[in-house]
Amino acid sequence: MALPSPGSTDRTRVRRLGEKAVTDRDVLHRVLDAALVAHVAVSDDQGRPYVLPVAYARDGDRVLIHGSTGSRLFRSLAAGAPTCLTVTLLDGLVVARSAFESSMNYRSAMVFGVCDVLDGDAKTAALDTLTDHLLPGRRAELRTHKAKELAATLVLALPLDETSVKISAGHPDDDADDLDTPIWAGTVPLGETFYDPIPAPDLRFELPVPEYVRTWRR
């Protein structure tokens, strides 16, 4: 059965600047695959909202996140609290001739739903997927997870069943009256920068920087 397109529910339909809405699931996947950090919303037992920054990875038609079993907020998610996960990639500043028309270029995704708790082999596989999303190829050289590490970690999967994608790109759209104003306008591209790796001070061996670290760029 085909999964719903982004923006196909009343909650996920883009109303403000609807022309920026994207309904292609492949675009949803590309946005989620390009970022490293998501923000997850959850309320505590007193109804107070929190937003948690988390490492995540897309695994097919779900998003994987993990946290400590000691986290009351993660325990709340594991118990079935509804959530909204968001990812934003900032691609540039749009500098218009007025503050009102100035904006940003971005790719963003929202995922609504309830998380599933992963255990056993599914939990281990999910942790491996998370590791390789951050540094592709890293998991292959690491030791296996210790039992106490697995016991201390909650791994959750959020299905990509109810989603929204919004993309903004392009140059300023100034009012015609402002075009004769002698003010610079344009775009300032932005992106992530990865610097030279820094060895740990307690590294006991003369080891080259792994290929997956040296060559990895998004």
Side-chain angles (χ1 to χ4, degrees), residues 16-38:
R16 172 63 179 157
L17 300 176
E19 70 275 9
K20 299 184 184 297
V22 177
T23 60
D24 189 335
R25 286 190 69 89
D26 288 339
V27 175
L28 167 69
H29 292 172
R30 289 199 293 271
V31 171
L32 294 174
D33 291 346
L36 300 177
V37 176

Side-chain angles (χ1 to χ4, degrees), residues 82-106:
T83 189
C84 174
L85 177 147
T86 67
V87 169
T88 301
L89 294 157
L90 183 58
D91 296 322
L93 300 180
V94 179
V95 184
R97 295 168 180 84
S98 67
F100 183 80
E101 294 294 346
S102 296
S103 61
M104 296 179 176
N105 286 334
Y106 59 84

Side-chain angles (χ1 to χ4, degrees), residues 178-191:
D178 291 332
L179 296 181
D180 291 328
T181 306
I183 299 174
W184 187 87
T187 59
V188 181
L190 295 174

Side-chain angles (χ1 to χ4, degrees), residues 129-158:
T129 299
L130 282 159
T131 298
D132 275 345
H133 176 65
L134 298 175
L135 284 172
R138 172 84 169 140
R139 185 67 193 97
E141 75 167 13
L142 298 178
R143 63 165 172 78
T144 57
H145 305 289
K146 294 181 178 179
K148 65 178 182 180
E149 294 170 342
L150 293 172
T153 305
L154 273 172
V155 181
L156 308 176
L158 180 62

Side-chain angles (χ1 to χ4, degrees), residues 38-56:
H39 289 85
V40 180
V42 62
S43 296
D44 65 11
D45 53 8
Q46 298 184 45
R48 295 174 299 192
Y50 294 82
V51 177
L52 307 174
V54 296
Y56 77 97

